[in-house]
Structure formats: C-alpha cells, structure tokens
Amino acid sequence: CVLRAPRVGSGAHTAVISPQDPTLLIGSSLQATCSVHGDPPGATAEGLYWTLNGRRLAPELSRVLNASTLALALANLNGSRQQSGDNLVCHARDGSILAGSCLYVGLPPEKPFNISCWSKNMKDLTCRWTPGALGETFLHTNYSLKYKLRWYGQDNTCEEYHTVGPHSCHIPKDLALFTPYEIWVEATNRLGSARSDVLTLDILDVVTTDPPPDVHVSRVGGLEDQLSVRWVSPPALKDFLFQAKYQIRYRVEDSVDWKVVDDVSNQTSCRLAGLKPGTVYFVQVRCNPFGIYGSKKAGIWSEWSHPTAASTPRSERPGPGGGACEPRGGEPSSGPVRRELKQFLGWLKKHAYCSNLSFRLYDQWRAWMQKSHKTRNQDEGILPSGRRGTTRGPAR
C-alpha cells in the first residue's frame, strides 16, 4: 500500500482520511471521510474526489458533508487485491494527492493442518503444512512453526522458511534424539490467529537419506531381455543401526512411463527380466531407511537416484521382441517338460526378478536356447543342391 501524502506543494493545506488504515471482513461496509484544513480557502470539499487502487470511484458513492469534508460510502467489500492493502486516496480538484489510507479487506486465518516432517540423515528437521481449508485470506498472513521437547523445555520458533515450498520451514541443527518433539503451526493476520493441532514425533521415526550412490546397470552376458542393477547403501547412515529397503524403477528411452519394482527388499543388487532386446533403459533406485536404533516406524523414502542408462543386447532371433523359441515342425517334442519350461519363462519375462534365488539354471537354459536357435537357423540355410548357403540374420 502506498504511504499517504498529507502535504501538497509548499504545505499550503493538509487533508486527513478517517478512519486510517481500516481492516474489515469481506462483505463489510466502509464509511470514510476526507477533511481538508488550511489555506488557500479554495481547497474545499466541492472539488475533492476518491480513487481506489488508482481507479476513480463513481461520484454517487461520495457526498459533501460540509465545506471541507467529503464522505465516502462503500458496501459489500471484496477481498483486497493486494495482501499489503488497497490504496484509498483523496484527491484535490487538479488531481494532486491530498491524503491516502490503506484499506485491508479479508478473512482471518483458518487452522493449519496436515503437518509432515522429515529428518535428513538425523542432522536436521524439515516440516511443511497446508494453510487451512480455503487458504486465501486476501491479507498478509504470517505462519510460524513452533516446536519443543514434549516433557520439558521452552517453545522454539523455526527461522528458515520456504525451504521446500511456500508453507515449509527448516530446523538445521541442535535436535535431540530419543525424545519426542511437539510441533505446531500458528497463523496470524490483521483479523485474527489460528493454531494447528500438535504433531508429536521422534526424530528417529522420520529419517530419510540421500539416494543410493554408485548405481550401475549392466548386461547379463548375452541375455537380451535382462539387465543387472547394483548400488551402494547410503553412506551417511553407515554408523547407525538401521535397516533398509529399496525400490527400482525403469523406463525405455522414448517413454515417460516408469515401471516400479517393489520387492527388492534390503539387497543392493537386482536383476530386471522381461525386457525388450536392443533397447535403451533408464534405471533409478531409492532407499527407505527404517528401524533406526530400533524405531518401529515405516521410514521415509529418499529421492530417486540420477537416471543410469544401459541397453539390452540385440536379439539374434527373427520377429519383434524375441521370446522363447518354438520347436520346429516335425521335431520330436519334449512334451510336458518343454511346455512347463516355456510357461516358466513366460512368467519370468513379465516380472522383474529380484529374489535371492540362484539364476544359474535359468541362465544355462536361456544360453542353450539361444545356441540351439542359432544352430537351427544355420541348418535351415542348406541349399537344394546339398551345399550350405550363407544365411543372413535379421537386420540390425
């Protein structure tokens, strides 16, 4: 809001707006006056007019009370256009400013809710909240995050605001472990105040950490539908007793859709199966540290690691996408065993397989299948005259 200007020129005359800087609820009415005092005598109410935020108000909203006073009546006021207050100004006949006032129209703050907090590697605490059901008060509203130890200690006020958004605050240090904190938010503006419910938490229950470092993605020999993923546990927590679980997500190069693997458990490696041959994949990993010093809470997921790219080998088999080899017509079939293995391969291709089971048997099977198929392709290249012809694989 622009500061009022009580003097014009060399101080020939002054004016006063009453009430000064009023604060009103939305829907209220305002009765204001502008009174001119001093010389020259020509500065009378007859030549005065009002503006609100630079726009001249209709003459019918004003009336002359006496020779030096002009009244203004505004009904059913809307919320202020700017949180610092609207500019209500009284002007002389020539347009010069005689006096100004800040008009505040809005709502008292509502009760903040949905407070959530997390601690990065047990070194700090960051909290954010939602500013009431409606949020918009049309007035500058101050939010203060308060905290204290649950059973003793004095109230403390967070000082680093807007760290992860407009309604957030960061407490950088001097936090106690093994003792619950009480945390709440107070909202205040010119029309009142409101206080959230108190959130009680232990720092050990809300620990998160950095994404797993050193994520490596590599091929699994010549298997065209698999990639191996390896990573390192978060080093910032290496000196603390904790458990960890991990998630992997991956997508093909030309897609924005990620597929998430949830059942990685606490391993630091995983094999992704059922991938497309000859395709570039982006892979990310994140960590959930839980059970810090025996905490029973679920833990908080870290951010995802930076994407790591790798490609699967190109398939030597014709046809899109590869897949298990079909037996040639006229070949003796191995019957139920062959069908059962085919069903197993089909199931495995639909799942990212990350258990502790050995892959040796599966790898041997896939390698044998690929070698067998390659031999069949060469056999099918025999010319009618009995000479072996040169076979060409699918275009790469």
Side-chain angles (χ1 to χ4, degrees), residues 199-212:
L199 172 68
T200 302
L201 61 82
D202 192 310
I203 300 299
L204 300 180
D205 295 337
V206 293
V207 176
T208 187
T209 189
D210 300 301

Side-chain angles (χ1 to χ4, degrees), residues 70 134 169 174 203 225 259 309 313 345 373 390-391:
L70 180 67
L134 295 178
C169 197
D174 299 330
I203 300 299
D225 66 342
K259 182 175 181 180
L345 290 174
H373 186 85
T390 301
T391 60

Side-chain angles (χ1 to χ4, degrees), residues 299-323:
I300 298 176
W301 287 104
S302 72
E303 298 293 328
W304 290 101
S305 64
H306 293 297
T308 302
S311 64
T312 52
R314 292 183 179 274
S315 174
E316 296 184 2
R317 291 171 288 173

Side-chain angles (χ1 to χ4, degrees), residues 324 333-348 361-362 365 369:
S333 172
S334 56
V337 175
R338 186 70 173 258
R339 287 194 297 271
E340 186 174 324
L341 285 172
K342 181 180 176 182
Q343 290 173 358
F344 169 73
L345 290 174
W347 178 87
L348 194 59
L361 181 61
Y362 172 71
W365 169 254
M369 291 287 286

Side-chain angles (χ1 to χ4, degrees), residues 20 42 199 357:
Q20 270 294 321
L199 172 68
L357 297 177

Side-chain angles (χ1 to χ4, degrees), residues 1-4 82 85-87 89 97 100-102:
C1 182
V2 177
L3 295 176
R4 49 196 172 277
Q82 47 198 20
D86 291 334
N87 298 303
V89 178
I97 296 175
S101 176
C102 292

